[in-house]
Amino acid sequence: MASASSSAPVRVRFCPSPTGNPHVGLVRTALFNWAFARHHGGTLVFRIEDTDAARDSEESYEQLLGAMRWLGFDWDEGPEVGGPHAPYRQSQRMDLYRDVAEKLLEAGHAYRCYCTAEELEERRETARKEGRPSGYDGACRTLTAEQIAAYEAEGRSSIVRFRMPDEPITFTDLVRGELTFTPENVTDYGIVRANGAPLYTLVNPVDDALMEITHVLRGEDLLSSTPRQIALYRALAEIGVGGGLVPSFGHLPYVMGEGNKKLSKRDPQSSLNLYRERGFLPEGLLNYLSLLGWSLSADRDVFSIDEMVAAFDIDGVNANPARFDLKKAEAINADHIRMLDVKAFIEACGPWLRAPHAPWAPERFDTAAFEALAPLAQTRLTVLSDITANVDFLFLDEPVADEASWAKAMKPGADALLTTARAKLAEAEWAAEPLKEAVLAAGEEHGLKLGKAQAPVRVAVTGRTVGLPLFESLEILGRERTLARIDAALAKLAV
Ligand code: GLU
Ligand code: ZN
C-alpha cells in the first residue's frame, strides 16, 4: 500500500492527552510539528486525545490551549478553529471508534480475547521462565464458535485484540533510519476494553488515518507502538477507513534531565508553567527547546522563530538523547530579552510590575521612573520576573530589608563613609556622573576604592548589594529620597 510520499501536502498533528500540566517535552513535540508544518506550507492538526476519562481533565485541556496560545502557535484544524475532520476532541468521537472496532472484528483483523488478567499473568510468567518472549501468546486467535459460546456462558468478559501480521514490520524512521520489528516482539494487543471503551492504541491511528496525517513526529517513548500502528493502518486501509496512507514516522530523541535520567513530567524543571511564571519569553523558551535534538548551525544558538521555521526540517533532527540544561535555557532567554526593542521590553515586564508579583502599592508605581530605568534593566535580566527586585527600591516607601546584604555592606567604618558620602551627595548636582564623583571622593577620604565605597550607599538606598547601576538609580530616585534613606541607615547603624 501507499506510504505518504514527499510530494503529498504535509499534514502533521499535535495530539496531547489533557492530563496534568503542560511540560517541556510536550512543547518540544508541538514546536517540531508546528515548525515542520510551517516550513513545508502544510497543515497542523491539533487534536485532543481525551479518551481516558479517569485521567483527563477539563482544566488540563484549558491549560493546553492557553499554553499553545502563549507560545504563539497557531493550528489549521482543531479546537476553536474547527476543520473538515471535526470534532477534534476524541471524547466526542467514541461512536466512530466503536464502529471501526466492529469493522476490524468483522474483517478478521481483530478478535475477542477472553483471557483473564490472572491467566495472562500466569502464562507470561511461564514464558519468562522458559526464556520465551512474554507478549500475548495468541491463545484466543483461533477460538471456535463453541469455545466462544462456552466462555460467554461462563460469563467471561472480553476485550478486542488486534491481530498482528506474522511477518516482520520494517519502516524507515525519519530520524533513526530503517527499523525492523519481528512478530515475536510485537504481539497482538488490546484495542477496546472489556467495558467497550476504545483505547489509545486504536483511536490514535484511526484518527491519523481519517485526518490523513502524512508525518508523525513524536517522542521516542512511543517508538515501540509504531509497528503496531503501522499494521493497524494497513488493516484500516483494507477496510476502507481513512485515505489509505501510512504516515512517515520520525521519533524525536529523549530529553535527559539531572543525573542523566530521562526528564520526567513530574520533574519540576519540566513544568511549562514554571517558565511562564519566571518570565521566560515564549521566543526564548522555544529557541532553547528547538535545540533539544536540532540545531540551526554549529555556531549559532540564538535565533528567531522565523529563522527556525525557515531552516527546520526533520532530516536535521539528531537521534542522540538531548540534555536539558537550565543554565543554557536562561542564557538564551536573556539574549532574547536583550533583543527586544525597549518598548516591547517595557510591555513584557508589565505583569511583574503589578500584583501579585509587585510588592508595592499600585498607586506608588511611577511609569516615567520605570521607563527611565528599563533600558539598564533590559541588559541584565535573565528572566522577566527579576525586574521586580531590580526596581522595587523606586516604588517602596522603604528599601527591602535584606539582612544578608546589610551584614555584607555595613562593616565597621560604614557609618563614617556614609556620613561623608551623604554630605557630598547633598551638595552634588543631581545627575549620575556628579553623583558618582561624590561617592568616589567620599571613598578617597576613607581610603576606599569606588566599589567598596559604593556598597554601603547601595544597600542603604536599595536594600541590596546587587542591582542596577547605582548612580543612574540614585538620579531617578531623587535627592530627597536618597538622602532620607542614607539617614535611616545611619540611624540604624547608630543603635
Ligand atoms: N496522546 C498521545 C500522547 O500524548 C499522543 C502520542 C502520539 O503522538 O502519537 O502521548
Ligand atoms: Zn485471550
Side-chain angles (χ1 to χ4, degrees):
M1 71 173 295
S3 117
S5 89
S6 51
S7 61
V10 163
R11 290 180 56 84
V12 290
R13 78 319 193 255
F14 173 56
C15 56
S17 299
T19 60
N21 301 326
H23 57 94
V24 292
L26 205 73
V27 176
R28 196 236 352 217
T29 300
L31 170 63
F32 282 28
N33 278 286
W34 178 83
F36 185 75
R38 294 296 168 257
H39 177 85
H40 289 285
T43 297
L44 175 66
V45 177
F46 182 18
R47 183 172 81 219
I48 305 293
E49 305 217 312
D50 55 349
T51 49
D52 189 345
R55 297 178 59 227
D56 302 328
S57 76
E58 200 59 23
E59 186 195 343
S60 170
Y61 166 73
E62 294 295 339
Q63 280 208 41
L64 273 172
L65 257 69
M68 291 289 278
R69 300 272 185 227
W70 179 72
L71 291 161
F73 292 142
D74 52 351
W75 51 96
D76 308 293
E77 295 178 24
E80 292 180 348
V81 305
H85 303 284
Y88 291 91
R89 294 187 70 169
Q90 292 185 326
S91 55
Q92 297 166 3
R93 300 166 65 81
M94 289 299 189
D95 291 343
L96 188 155
Y97 306 133
R98 289 198 185 94
D99 198 51
V100 173
E102 262 332 297
K103 286 191 180 139
L104 288 168
L105 281 168
E106 277 163 29
H109 288 298
Y111 57 91
R112 294 201 167 273
C113 165
Y114 292 87
C115 301
T116 64
E118 296 73 44
E119 289 167 345
L120 290 172
E121 183 45 41
E122 213 181 290
R123 276 149 39 204
R124 255 199 302 273
E125 197 43 46
T126 315
R128 261 188 235 116
K129 279 195 198 121
E130 293 170 5
R132 288 183 285 118
S134 56
Y136 183 68
D137 57 6
C140 301
R141 272 190 155 203
T142 52
L143 293 180
T144 62
E146 290 76 46
Q147 284 170 307
I148 291 174
Y151 279 147
E152 295 277 349
E154 269 179 48
R156 286 197 184 219
S157 59
S158 62
I159 67 163
V160 178
R161 243 182 229 287
F162 182 74
R163 189 189 303 272
M164 283 296 291
D166 298 318
E167 306 80 49
I169 298 223
T170 296
F171 67 97
T172 304
D173 187 280
L174 298 168
V175 176
R176 262 143 251 277
E178 191 176 288
L179 300 171
T180 296
F181 292 80
T182 57
E184 310 78 76
N185 294 313
V186 195
T187 50
D188 299 352
Y189 60 97
I191 55 175
V192 180
R193 277 191 225 278
N195 67 5
L199 287 163
Y200 160 78
T201 50
L202 174 69
V203 303
N204 174 282
V206 164
D207 277 347
D208 285 348
L210 290 172
M211 297 177 183
E212 296 175 49
I213 298 304
T214 58
H215 297 76
V216 170
L217 312 181
R218 60 183 181 184
E220 186 176 343
D221 51 320
L222 292 157
L223 181 58
S224 62
S225 64
T226 302
R228 297 171 160 190
Q229 296 187 346
I230 288 176
L232 179 50
Y233 279 113
R234 292 178 181 160
L236 293 174
E238 238 183 83
I239 63 172
V241 173
L245 288 181
V246 175
S248 303
F249 289 83
H251 290 90
L252 311 177
Y254 281 118
V255 179
M256 313 306 277
E258 307 269 297
N260 237 23
K261 286 211 304 273
K262 263 186 275 163
L263 191 67
S264 112
K265 286 187 225 191
R266 284 162 294 279
D267 259 309
Q269 278 204 18
S270 72
S271 159
L272 176 66
N273 291 342
L274 189 91
Y275 296 90
R276 282 180 79 166
E277 279 156 23
R278 288 190 63 205
F280 267 73
L281 294 173
E283 55 270 37
L285 185 63
L286 291 178
N287 182 165
Y288 176 66
L289 295 181
S290 76
L291 301 176
L292 298 175
W294 182 77
S295 65
L296 182 78
S297 73
D299 56 0
R300 260 190 82 202
D301 276 350
V302 180
F303 42 83
S304 71
I305 195 78
D306 290 343
E307 289 175 290
M308 180 195 176
V309 166
F312 184 82
D313 214 340
I314 193 68
D315 52 17
V317 174
N318 194 311
N320 298 327
R323 203 173 71 80
F324 190 85
D325 179 346
L326 186 58
K327 284 273 163 295
K328 184 158 180 186
E330 289 173 346
I332 286 179
N333 192 63
D335 282 328
H336 279 270
I337 290 179
R338 277 191 283 274
M339 276 150 51
L340 295 174
D341 66 46
V342 182
K343 257 186 77 187
F345 171 70
I346 288 171
E347 202 178 305
C349 287
W352 283 275
L353 302 172
R354 297 189 286 268
H357 302 285
W360 52 81
E363 66 277 10
R364 300 303 307 273
F365 182 72
D366 174 344
T367 306
F370 174 70
E371 290 184 358
L373 219 48
L376 295 174
Q378 186 176 359
T379 58
R380 288 171 172 77
L381 295 190
T382 299
V383 288
L384 292 170
S385 60
D386 288 348
I387 191 65
T388 318
N390 272 289
V391 299
D392 62 358
F393 73 96
L394 281 175
F395 312 124
L396 291 170
D397 290 337
E398 288 166 24
V400 292
D402 176 30
E403 290 312 324
S405 289
W406 181 272
K408 200 164 153 200
M410 301 302 185
K411 298 268 160 60
D415 51 349
L417 179 278
L418 276 178
T419 305
T420 310
R422 191 215 186 274
K424 293 196 185 298
L425 288 169
E427 303 284 282
E429 181 203 335
W430 207 259
E433 201 43 44
L435 297 176
K436 179 176 165 187
E437 295 304 325
V439 173
L440 190 67
E444 272 166 13
E445 282 186 21
H446 295 271
L448 296 172
K449 293 228 170 68
L450 181 63
K452 284 258 186 300
Q454 164 175 326
V457 176
R458 181 188 285 282
V459 170
V461 174
T462 72
R464 295 187 180 88
T465 47
V466 289
L468 300 181
L470 179 62
F471 304 105
E472 282 85 350
S473 298
L474 299 186
E475 179 182 328
I476 292 163
L477 184 65
R479 186 191 308 267
E480 204 185 316
R481 294 176 79 195
T482 301
L483 298 181
R485 286 179 184 192
I486 294 176
D487 289 340
L490 282 167
K492 187 171 164 189
L493 285 169
V495 293

